[in-house]
């Protein structure tokens, strides 16, 4: 099948370092002494604990119920006893803690009863609920709930399976495709049917010929319309928007979802998990994680969610000069603040780094505006402009140059001859802008409250004055009527009543006019030009907050963002 | 804590500047062959002055000295200054020119990356305004031995008319001015060679070769050289077709003076030039247009330096107005 491939601008080609871990078959990691299963598996949603300390659980038993529209269920990865329910530090750069169910395995691996799920009989909504209750989330690194991505009713026409795996070192998707291609495709078919997609495309970087061959063979056996499409090896090919662009030519603007353009994208591991959930009724209990870098036995391990990483990395035999561990790839990953944290559904790779493997960057030099960064930027930004503005704290300008379109892929910093940690500056600027907006929103609310109070007080005063005036008129009218001259001078009484009233009216009109003026001024003036962007752009940054949270494994709070810009990140 | 990305391409400012210096070598070799080895003395004087000045300023500004000196940017500025000056200017003129480039044009504006004007061009313009006579004494190709050149550089007596001639551009301008004949008759004179100035055309070829290597190795992009050369050829060609007696042909313009040096090594200065693809085209085209205008109608024989400085002034506007479209967006980046 001849298919036209598109391309994206920019990108880089770092050395891949994939061979070491890609050569070994997936191994099953032994059960650790205890499992620490976080209830917060997908970003912005924490499951509600439904077990008690001391309770015996079976493998696959639900220990956390899905809550909220973005919630997914959490399960016991093995049989054993719940020994704790308390906060534990997460694999997150912030090093913050979240509530975890601690399970001591009994080693018997006793399953709950589980049976296949009949999608056809149950219907689409029930199938989505099934995936949610099986805890299926994106396994590419974003951990976004899959049932939510299938929920968009906007006619999805193309389903893309992301097997690009463009970050150096990571090979978990590669191995999965080599070994379980049939299951992946079956899962993709399920997802495609649920999404209502006609077309199924699988994008795999052409540095994985074995995976491509295995997927092609499986596609041949399975029949049906599916295109296994090798794509050029260029980071960040695995970025959702980049892959969509290359496979379909569609460019999804910042803040928009693929679904709005008829495209939905899933990671190959997610398709595999969906298959297990539907065809076997198995919830998502483990994932494949690459252990590589400065280790004696690099490779891929299938490990239970909740396995403490220190026990996990020990299987690979880290070198003595290992100075830190990276979670995710070297381009977008982060250094783990500590290692006694559990494996989550988003953890795709752990790299043992040593000074010789990843030397500290050379000292930062001044930007010479050489434009290398702009030529490498897949978002087609001018990174050095963003850098100058961020550095000068000129945040409005940074935003005008589309700071929030930056996907933090790191290509610019990778190529910069001045060794400037450009992405750090963007993170800083984005954080500052969001903090300011938060303050601004709070100030806005306070001001609204204040204005409303003024308005109310003015109104109360008016009403009181009107009441008084009426009363005064009444009392004045009464003696007049008593003296019998009421008929002679009705106008006097009326005037007396009217006089204060008309003065009152004038005052009222003045107040109203002043208020209207103030309102008009407020509407006309751009709100706080120097301090922060206006409301129109606030939505944009909320969407960004959402995206960034979707890209991380854990966030300290729900952030209120409802943007569903999900997708498996470029990792 | 260090953040992602944890890996970096082996690139550095030093490597970049080093490649540009290397790309100047073919042009310099042709220079030595055609004009004489005096230029090497000037290059040495300029480089030493630049390094010393940079070290001093950095020390005064309390900045790290070694790492900045090693980035080679001062050396590159020094070479460009030396290559723009006549090869027999007295040593102190080279020193002053380089001091202006490094201290005034670069560090007074904040150092590497901050200077709005091309340092080498600032120095050249200052010199041509301050020392017009010395700046117009060019040795004819092969006319002066190294001893003579060295003597002149070291401040020997200057029996000017006996040893130097006008450059081709100068001869043409003066000739036309005095009504000495149409362009093609003037171009029979001794200062003229096959295409441009006698001997200088080979130097231009050397710059062209080095410059193309820079484009091929992606140290610079094609935009600026292409736009510069195309614009100079187009505008000079147009006027040459209209009035060949008054205007020099395009190849003469391209092979004379500093056209090739400018196209690949001077307008392409990243710090003071435009940065967007379209901006680069506009910047280089504008420089070429100004250079041709000054060459043809102005008071100075060579207009590139003034052209560059004038266009430097326009860079913020050009960059702002030529922001490229951002991925997925219909509009372009930057403020409106
Ligand atoms: S690559 Fe680095 S030095 Fe070059 S323009 Fe970008 S930020 Fe500046
Ligand atoms: S980190 Fe942002 S600015 Fe840098 S290359 Fe990636 S998208 Fe562009």
């Amino acid at each position: 099948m001849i298919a036209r491939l598109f391309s994206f601008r920019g990108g880089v080609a770092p050395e891949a370092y994939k061979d070491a871990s890609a050569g070994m078959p997936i191994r099953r990691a032994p059960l650790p002494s205890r499992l620490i299963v976080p209830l917060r598996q997908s970003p912005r949603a924490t499951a509600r604990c439904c077990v008690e300390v001391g309770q015996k659980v079976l493998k696959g038993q639900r220990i956390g119920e899905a809550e909220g529209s973005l919630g997914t269920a959490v399960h016991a990865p093995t049989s054993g006893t719940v020994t704790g329910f308390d906060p534990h530090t997460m694999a997150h750069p912030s090093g913050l803690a979240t509530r975890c169910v601690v399970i001591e395995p009994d080693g018997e691996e006793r399953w709950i009863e589980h049976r296949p799920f009949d999608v056809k009989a149950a219907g689409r909504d029930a199938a989505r609920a099934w995936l949610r209750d099986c805890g299926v989330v994106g396994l590419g690194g974003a951990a976004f709930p899959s049932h939510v991505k299938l929920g968009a009713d906007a006619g999805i026409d193309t389903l893309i399976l992301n097997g690009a795996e463009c970050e150096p070192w990571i090979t978990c998707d590669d191995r999965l495709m080599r070994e379980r291609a049939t299951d992946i495709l079956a899962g993709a078919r399920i997802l495609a049917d649920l999404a209502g997609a006609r077309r199924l495309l699988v994008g795999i970087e052409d540095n994985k010929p074995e995976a491509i061959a295995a997927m092609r063979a499986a596609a041949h056996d399975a029949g049906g319309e599916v295109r296994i499409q090798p794509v050029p090896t260029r980071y960040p090919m695995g970025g959702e928007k980049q892959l969509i662009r290359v496979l379909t030519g569609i460019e999804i603007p910042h803040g928009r979802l693929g679904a709005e353009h008829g495209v939905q994208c899933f990671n190959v591991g997610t398709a595999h998990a969906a298959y297990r959930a539907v065809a076997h009724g198995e919830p998502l209990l483990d994932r494949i994680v690459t252990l590589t870098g400065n280790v004696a036995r690099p490779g891929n391990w299938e490990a239970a969610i909740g396995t403490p990483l220190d026990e996990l990395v020990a299987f690979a035999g880290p070198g003595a000069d290992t100075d830190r561990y990276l979670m995710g790839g070297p381009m977008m990953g982060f250094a783990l603040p500590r290692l006694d944290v559990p494996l989550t559904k988003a953890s795709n790779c752990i790299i043992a780094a040593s000074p010789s493997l990843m030397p500290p960057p050379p000292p930062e030099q001044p930007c010479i505006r050489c434009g290398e960064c702009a030529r490498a930027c897949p978002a087609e930004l001018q990174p050095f402009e963003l850098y100058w503005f961020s550095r000068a704290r000129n945040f409005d300008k940074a935003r005008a140059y589309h700071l929030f379109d930056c996907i933090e892929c790191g290509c610019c910093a990778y190529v910069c001859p001045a060794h400037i940690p450009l992405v750090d500056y963007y993170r800083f600027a984005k954080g500052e802008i969001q903090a300011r907006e938060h303050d601004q929103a709070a100030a806005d609310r306070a001001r609204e409250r204040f204005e409303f109070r003024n308005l109310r007080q003015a109104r109360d005063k008016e009403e009181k004055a009107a009441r008084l005036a009426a009363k005064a008129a009444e009392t004045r009218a009464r003696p007049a009527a008593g003296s019998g001259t009421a008929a002679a001078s009705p106008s006097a009484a009326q005037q007396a009543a009217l006089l204060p009233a008309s003065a009152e009216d004038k005052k009222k009109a003045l107040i109203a006019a002043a208020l209207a003026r103030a309102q008009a001024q407020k509407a006309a003036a751009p709100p706080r030009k120097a301090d922060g962007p206006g409301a129109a752009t606030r939505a944009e940054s909320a969407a960004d907050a959402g995206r960034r949270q979707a890209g991380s494994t854990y966030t300290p709070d729900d952030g209120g963002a409802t943007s569903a810009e999900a997708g498996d990140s470029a990792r | 804590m260090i953040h992602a990305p944890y890996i970096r391409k082996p690139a550095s400012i030093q490597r970049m500047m080093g490649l540009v210096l290397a790309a100047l070598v073919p042009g310099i070799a042709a220079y030595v062959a055609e004009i004489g080895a005096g230029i090497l003395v000037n290059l040495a004087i300029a480089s030493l002055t630049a390094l010393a000045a940079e070290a001093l300023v950095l020390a005064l500004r309390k900045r790290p000295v070694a790492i900045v000196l090693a980035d080679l940017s001062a050396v590159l500025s020094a070479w460009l200054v030396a290559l723009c000056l006549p090869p027999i200017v007295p040593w102190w003129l080279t020193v002053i020119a380089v001091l202006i480039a490094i201290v005034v044009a670069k560090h007074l504006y904040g150092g590497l990356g901050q200077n709005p004007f091309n340092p080498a061009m600032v120095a050249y313009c200052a010199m041509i305004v301050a020392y017009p006579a010395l700046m117009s004494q060019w040795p004819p190709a092969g006319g002066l031995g190294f001893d003579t050149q060295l003597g002149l550089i070291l401040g020997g007596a200057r029996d000017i008319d006996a040893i130097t001639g006008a450059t081709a551009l100068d001869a043409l301008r003066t000739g036309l001015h005095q009504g000495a004949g149409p362009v093609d008759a003037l171009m029979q004179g001794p200062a003229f060679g096959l295409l441009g100035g006698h001997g200088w055309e080979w130097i231009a070829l050397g710059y062209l070769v080095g410059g193309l290597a820079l484009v091929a190795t992606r140290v610079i992009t094609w935009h600026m050289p292409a736009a510069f050369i195309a614009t100079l050829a187009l505008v000079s060609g147009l006027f040459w077709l209209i009035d060949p007696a008054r205007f020099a042909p395009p190849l003469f313009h391209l092979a004379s003076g500093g056209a090739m040096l400018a196209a690949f090594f001077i307008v392409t200065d990243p710090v003071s030039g435009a940065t967007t693809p379209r901006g680069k085209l506009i910047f280089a085209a504008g420089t070429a247009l100004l250079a041709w205008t000054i060459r043809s109608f102005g008071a100075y024989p060579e207009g590139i330096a003034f052209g560059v400085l004038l266009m430097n002034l326009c860079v913020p506007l050009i960059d702002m107005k030529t922001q490229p479209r951002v991925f997925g967006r219909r509009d372009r980046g930057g403020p409106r």
Side-chain angles (χ1 to χ4, degrees):
Chain A
M1 201 187 320
I2 309 275
R4 184 161 167 233
L5 266 197
F6 301 82
S7 70
F8 66 91
R9 278 167 190 265
V12 294
E15 203 181 322
Y17 294 105
K18 291 191 189 247
D19 290 345
S21 59
M24 294 290 288
I26 298 171
R27 282 162 284 186
R28 174 97 230 164
L31 274 178
S33 53
R34 58 174 195 158
L35 287 161
I36 306 161
V37 188
L39 288 174
R40 188 187 189 84
Q41 287 287 357
S42 54
R44 308 201 294 284
T46 306
R48 181 164 41 82
C49 183
C50 57
V51 288
E52 281 158 16
V53 175
Q55 186 180 336
K56 290 241 182 291
V57 289
L58 295 175
K59 178 168 183 175
Q61 182 175 339
R62 207 175 296 168
I63 57 176
E65 294 281 358
E67 268 200 332
S69 60
L70 293 176
T72 51
V74 178
H75 306 80
T78 186
S79 58
T81 316
V82 176
T83 59
F85 175 53
D86 26 44
H88 280 266
T89 310
M90 286 293 99
H92 190 268
S94 69
L96 283 173
T98 181
R99 287 208 164 255
C100 298
V101 174
V102 183
I103 297 170
E104 197 170 296
D106 57 16
E108 291 172 22
E109 298 267 31
R110 273 179 294 122
W111 267 96
I112 46 155
E113 227 179 283
H114 57 103
R115 64 176 77 85
F117 180 81
D118 189 346
V119 176
K120 284 222 169 58
R124 188 160 164 263
D125 286 339
R128 285 180 48 223
W130 180 257
L131 290 179
R132 179 194 68 207
D133 291 338
C134 283
V136 178
V137 298
L139 294 182
F144 194 82
S146 302
H147 70 276
V148 177
K149 285 173 107 179
L150 293 169
D153 279 313
I156 287 174
D157 156 80
T158 306
L159 190 106
I160 289 177
L161 218 49
N162 188 345
E165 203 167 53
C166 57
E167 275 250 28
W169 300 98
I170 311 180
T171 58
C172 55
D173 290 348
D174 183 6
R175 276 320 308 186
L176 192 72
M177 287 190 284
R178 292 194 207 185
E179 298 179 28
R180 301 179 198 172
T182 313
D183 293 0
I184 294 172
L185 284 180
R189 183 60 65 200
I190 294 166
L191 293 172
D193 289 346
L194 284 176
R198 251 184 339 99
R199 224 170 25 142
L200 180 54
L201 301 177
V202 187
I204 308 173
E205 273 194 353
D206 56 13
N207 63 354
K208 297 183 250 304
E210 294 91 345
I212 293 169
M215 291 290 279
R216 283 208 162 129
H220 182 79
D221 295 344
E225 272 290 306
V226 50
R227 196 171 102 210
I228 311 294
Q229 180 62 58
V231 292
T233 300
R234 187 150 54 103
Y235 177 86
M237 182 61 79
E240 188 169 286
K241 292 188 173 173
Q242 277 65 41
L243 189 63
I244 291 175
R245 163 96 185 121
V246 168
L247 290 177
T248 68
I250 300 172
E251 260 186 32
I252 313 234
H254 166 70
R256 290 309 167 102
L257 300 176
E260 295 169 42
H261 295 256
V263 195
Q264 196 55 283
C265 197
F266 286 95
N267 173 267
V268 289
T270 315
H272 180 255
Y275 166 78
R276 301 293 309 173
V278 169
H280 299 277
E282 289 178 13
L284 182 52
L285 305 182
D286 33 40
R287 69 154 298 141
I288 299 173
V289 53
T290 307
L291 303 182
T292 186
N294 184 33
V295 294
R297 295 174 293 281
N300 285 284
W301 300 76
E302 189 160 31
I305 306 299
T307 305
L309 296 187
D310 42 10
E311 290 195 37
L312 195 59
V313 295
F315 301 139
D321 57 341
T322 301
D323 59 347
R324 69 210 142 126
Y325 292 88
L326 306 187
M327 169 71 78
M331 295 296 288
M332 286 182 87
F334 58 92
L336 285 164
R338 47 200 283 188
L339 213 53
D340 57 346
V341 296
L343 185 79
T344 67
K345 291 176 184 175
S347 322
N348 53 2
C349 180
I350 300 163
I351 307 173
S354 65
S356 58
L357 205 58
M358 291 180 196
E364 189 176 336
Q365 280 170 287
C367 167
I368 53 167
R369 294 161 55 88
C370 64
E372 282 294 319
C373 48
R375 287 189 281 286
C377 176
E380 297 172 48
L381 298 164
Q382 299 283 301
F384 58 91
E385 301 277 16
L386 298 178
Y387 155 73
W388 286 96
F389 292 138
S390 301
R391 214 173 86 127
R393 305 178 74 94
N394 191 345
F395 297 129
D396 282 346
K397 269 286 180 49
R399 180 189 281 276
Y401 280 76
H402 297 311
L403 171 68
F404 282 96
D405 284 32
C406 165
I407 57 172
E408 296 182 18
C409 66
C411 290
C412 50
Y414 175 78
V415 298
C416 176
H419 313 298
I420 302 170
L422 292 162
V423 190
D424 289 3
Y425 284 95
Y426 309 147
R427 289 193 198 108
F428 160 74
K430 287 179 183 180
E432 284 293 287
I433 292 173
Q434 272 154 6
R436 276 171 188 226
E437 269 167 11
H438 188 260
D439 295 351
Q440 174 78 47
D444 280 349
R445 276 197 302 276
R447 199 180 52 230
E448 268 161 34
R449 267 202 307 275
F450 177 72
E451 277 169 6
F452 180 70
R453 205 191 59 179
N454 282 356
L455 202 73
R456 200 188 56 216
Q457 283 175 345
R459 196 188 55 206
D460 290 353
K461 225 153 110 196
E462 272 167 40
E463 282 171 0
K464 207 163 145 198
R467 268 201 313 277
L468 278 175
K471 222 171 176 178
E474 219 173 275
T475 42
R476 242 167 293 162
R478 219 176 287 134
S483 68
T485 57
S489 59
S491 60
Q494 262 164 16
Q495 261 167 10
L498 277 173
L499 208 87
S502 68
E504 214 35 72
D505 272 350
K506 228 190 216 155
K507 216 171 166 189
K508 210 193 270 182
L510 274 177
I511 291 173
L515 275 174
R517 251 199 325 275
Q519 228 112 44
Q521 256 170 17
K522 209 168 72 190
R528 299 269 168 101
K529 210 31 206 164
D531 268 3
T537 44
R538 209 166 296 144
E540 193 186 345
S541 88
D544 273 293
R547 186 183 62 72
R548 288 182 329 125
Q549 290 178 353
S552 58
T553 54
Y554 163 78
T555 39
D557 70 14
D558 280 6
T562 49
S563 147
E565 182 164 338
D568 303 334
S569 78
R571 284 168 215 167
Chain B
M1 198 165 76
I2 304 161
H3 296 117
Y6 294 93
I7 48 175
R8 277 164 189 278
K9 193 175 170 173
S12 65
I13 294 180
Q14 183 184 33
R15 180 175 169 275
M16 210 165 188
M17 300 288 172
L19 284 172
V20 178
L21 288 174
L24 280 169
V25 169
I28 294 172
Y31 207 126
V32 173
E34 291 295 320
I35 311 295
I39 185 66
L40 296 179
V41 180
N42 276 359
L43 285 171
I45 295 173
S47 305
L48 291 177
T49 313
L51 288 173
E54 179 123 314
L56 195 70
V57 177
L58 286 169
L60 286 177
R61 293 177 63 198
K62 302 205 171 23
R63 300 285 166 92
V65 174
I67 170 175
V68 179
L69 285 193
D71 73 21
L72 297 179
S73 64
V75 178
L76 179 58
S77 295
W79 282 29
L80 292 175
V81 170
L83 290 174
C84 292
L85 300 178
I88 49 171
V89 287
W91 63 270
W92 51 264
L93 193 143
T94 306
V95 170
I96 294 177
V98 170
L99 285 179
I100 288 178
I102 299 293
V103 179
V104 179
K106 185 175 173 184
H107 280 286
L108 280 191
Y109 284 102
L112 181 65
Q114 309 269 359
N115 48 298
F117 296 105
N118 187 318
M121 293 301 99
V122 172
Y124 178 89
C125 289
M127 290 303 104
I128 208 160
V129 172
Y131 305 100
L134 286 172
M135 286 294 285
S136 59
Q137 290 162 6
W138 293 78
L144 291 184
F146 179 65
D147 296 350
T148 326
Q149 293 192 1
L150 192 61
L152 288 168
I153 290 169
L154 297 179
R158 305 176 83 83
D159 182 4
I160 295 310
D161 292 339
I163 47 171
T164 69
T167 64
L169 281 171
D170 224 1
L172 191 67
R173 200 175 58 89
T174 334
L176 284 171
H177 200 65
Q178 297 166 344
V183 166
D184 44 356
L186 287 172
M187 281 179 66
Q188 303 304 317
F192 296 87
L194 283 174
L195 300 171
H198 183 55
W200 293 95
E201 53 221 3
W202 296 108
I203 300 172
L205 188 67
Y207 292 143
L208 176 67
V209 169
L212 289 177
L214 283 186
V215 177
T217 50
R218 293 175 186 270
V219 175
I220 57 174
T221 63
W222 58 270
H223 302 81
M224 296 241 197
F228 185 89
I229 291 170
T231 308
L232 193 55
L234 267 177
V235 64
S236 58
L238 191 70
F239 278 83
W240 178 62
L241 285 177
I242 293 171
D243 188 356
R246 234 183 82 56
F247 294 100
L251 273 178
F252 170 79
H253 272 287
L254 290 177
S256 303
M260 283 300 144
L261 186 65
F264 289 97
F265 297 93
I266 290 172
V267 291
T268 51
D269 169 41
V271 175
S272 59
T275 53
T276 65
R278 276 188 303 147
K280 286 178 175 180
L281 295 177
I282 295 171
F283 177 83
T287 308
L289 200 62
L290 287 169
W292 176 84
T293 312
I294 295 171
R295 275 181 179 185
S296 303
F297 307 106
Y300 295 99
E302 181 53 293
I304 293 175
F306 292 101
V308 168
L309 294 187
L310 286 173
M311 289 310 287
N312 282 162
L313 277 176
C314 307
V315 162
L317 186 69
I318 295 175
D319 273 353
M320 198 177 94
K321 292 292 175 198
T322 57
Q323 283 295 309
R325 194 195 63 109
V326 169
F327 182 92
R329 287 191 185 260
R330 279 207 194 85
D331 55 341
R332 50 187 186 75
R336 262 153 292 276

